[in-house]
Amino acid sequence: MQPVIRSLLETDLYKFTMWQAMLHRHPQTQAEYVFICRNARDYPLTHLIGELNEQLDHLCSLRFQPDELAYLRGLRFIKTDFVDFLRIFQFQRDFITVRDNAGTLEIVARGPQVHVMAFEIHVLAIVNELYFRRFEQAPAVAEGRRRLADKVALLRAFGQEPRRRNPFEFFDFGVRRRFSGSWHREVVATLQREVPEFFKGTSNVLLARDLGLVPIGTMAHEFLQTYQALGVRLRDFQKAALEAWVQEYRGDLGVALTDVVGMDAFLSDFDLYFAKLFDGLRHDSGDPIVWGEKALAHYARLRIDTHTKRLVFSDGLSLPKAFELYRHFADRTQLGFGIGTNLTNDMGLHTLHIVMKLTHCNGQPVAKLSDSPGKILCDDQTFLAYLRQVFNVPALETPG
């Protein structure tokens, strides 16, 4: 058995930042995370169950090593007591189950949130790599290298364009859907070496440490969704989550995610107080131009200089798409672009659309009403209808 995950550091930074906040504020929360694949095609994912169980057994044997803990302790926003918790942390195999559910791969992590929330990225990376091991490796990697060289050439050509007020900066957000761990490392090292003027970091904490890059990430949907079930009035869950984040990080990690109940509902809660405290906003669904214009108009209404804020785009990006957004917004605000699958799994193969999402907290359903159709993962239609009613979101989407 060749382990896919060899270090517990090999996950997205935002797993650690959300984990710390939940440990400090709501360590008693019970949660359920469910794996979904929307488009398996070439090989049924249920064929992976035997290997997947072996990989999960291995994952649950891993512990954070002293050098890894020392690295985390050196990040100024990571607290000492959280590192002490990680020193004794170990994934519990009893908290995650895998089975064939009528021909569909079912993976469920259920237990105390601070013990199951970190499964997500590891599980997705494991499923993805096991799936792509079934293809011929040499031709796939050769094609990946050819496409990566084309990306470098594209970036160098882009660098000849007239300068805008704010620079073009992009990051690797590709842990969960990568072709393999070794390919991920090669991609990130290549970009760091060839185009350091544009490539500014990675969400992969292990690669950030090993390659001397900036680890990138703040929060994901699960952090805000958790607050739907923490006893605050549902209408106030976004404000409660944002306030908890501000109190935890006090100026660090200041990019807020906007699409848990849609951009309009988010902006109605994102008043002058939060707009001044957070450095910027992250886009993850819906039309990015429309979203960005709404964000800039909101800052203008609040009389905030948009050049002091940052818009981060992270929804299904490629470099050409990022360039298009950059040209549209770069003279008006700071920008960042998180690119995932198109960087770490552009091998000429059909990629998987896999997610592992928070579905329940403390026995209650939670959900997001994103600005993109089909991005809901919630089977409780009553709760979805209530959430839409509370935030005045039209029923335009179908659970998928």
Side-chain angles (χ1 to χ4, degrees), residues 11 18 117 132 146 199 225 281 300 387 394:
T11 190
M18 294 186 294
M117 64 187 297
F132 284 103
R146 187 189 68 76
F199 184 65
Q225 285 176 254
L281 304 172
L387 192 60

Side-chain angles (χ1 to χ4, degrees), residues 41-42 132 135 139-147 151 179 183 341 345-351:
R41 191 183 71 175
D42 296 291
F132 284 103
F135 295 85
V141 170
E143 178 63 14
R145 286 175 178 151
R146 187 189 68 76
R147 294 184 181 212
K151 289 181 177 68
F179 177 76
W183 175 245
T341 309
N345 204 343
D346 188 12
M347 324 295 283
L349 298 172
H350 176 75
T351 56

Side-chain angles (χ1 to χ4, degrees), residues 124-314:
L124 296 177
I126 288 169
V127 171
N128 228 49
E129 184 157 342
L130 291 180
Y131 177 81
F132 284 103
R133 282 180 183 177
R134 280 155 168 71
F135 295 85
E136 288 191 60
Q137 299 296 291
V141 170
E143 178 63 14
R145 286 175 178 151
R146 187 189 68 76
R147 294 184 181 212
L148 182 58
D150 287 347
K151 289 181 177 68
V152 170
L154 199 63
L155 283 158
R156 288 177 174 155
F158 171 76
Q160 302 305 308
E161 292 188 10
R163 291 190 179 275
R164 307 282 181 138
R165 176 162 177 172
N166 293 290
F168 178 81
E169 298 179 343
F170 78 105
F171 330 108
D172 155 51
F173 279 8
V175 182
R176 68 189 64 204
R177 294 176 187 159
R178 66 193 186 185
F179 177 76
S180 70
S182 60
W183 175 245
H184 191 184
R185 183 176 290 265
E186 180 174 336
V187 168
V188 170
T190 299
L191 294 170
Q192 179 190 30
R193 180 182 68 249
E194 300 294 334
V195 284
E197 66 273 31
F198 301 124
F199 184 65
K200 298 300 181 182
T202 175
S203 65
N204 184 327
V205 182
L206 180 68
L207 291 185
R209 185 200 69 167
D210 290 353
L211 300 176
L213 287 163
V214 176
I216 303 288
T218 56
M219 67 181 74
H221 300 96
E222 67 181 285
F223 180 76
L224 288 100
Q225 285 176 254
T226 297
Y227 278 79
Q228 295 172 4
L230 290 183
V232 301
R233 195 174 65 141
L234 185 60
R235 181 62 188 83
D236 297 329
F237 87 86
Q238 291 189 116
K239 289 183 282 190
L242 293 173
E243 180 65 29
W245 195 266
V246 167
Q247 294 302 322
E248 179 70 25
Y249 290 109
R250 308 191 68 79
D252 270 322
L253 304 171
V255 175
L257 183 61
T258 66
D259 71 329
V260 174
V261 286
M263 183 60 162
D264 294 338
F266 176 86
L267 291 178
S268 71
D269 287 340
F270 198 67
D271 60 11
L272 183 62
Y273 170 75
F274 288 124
K276 284 190 171 182
L277 289 175
F278 281 88
D279 298 322
L281 304 172
R282 177 161 77 90
H283 170 267
D284 199 49
S285 66
D287 186 312
I289 298 288
V290 171
W291 176 89
E293 292 295 347
K294 284 182 178 181
L296 296 184
H298 186 70
Y299 282 128
R301 280 193 298 273
L302 297 175
R303 299 182 181 180
I304 291 176
D305 181 359
T306 57
H307 293 290
T308 67
K309 300 298 178 182
R310 178 186 290 266
L311 301 183
V312 177
F313 295 87
S314 62

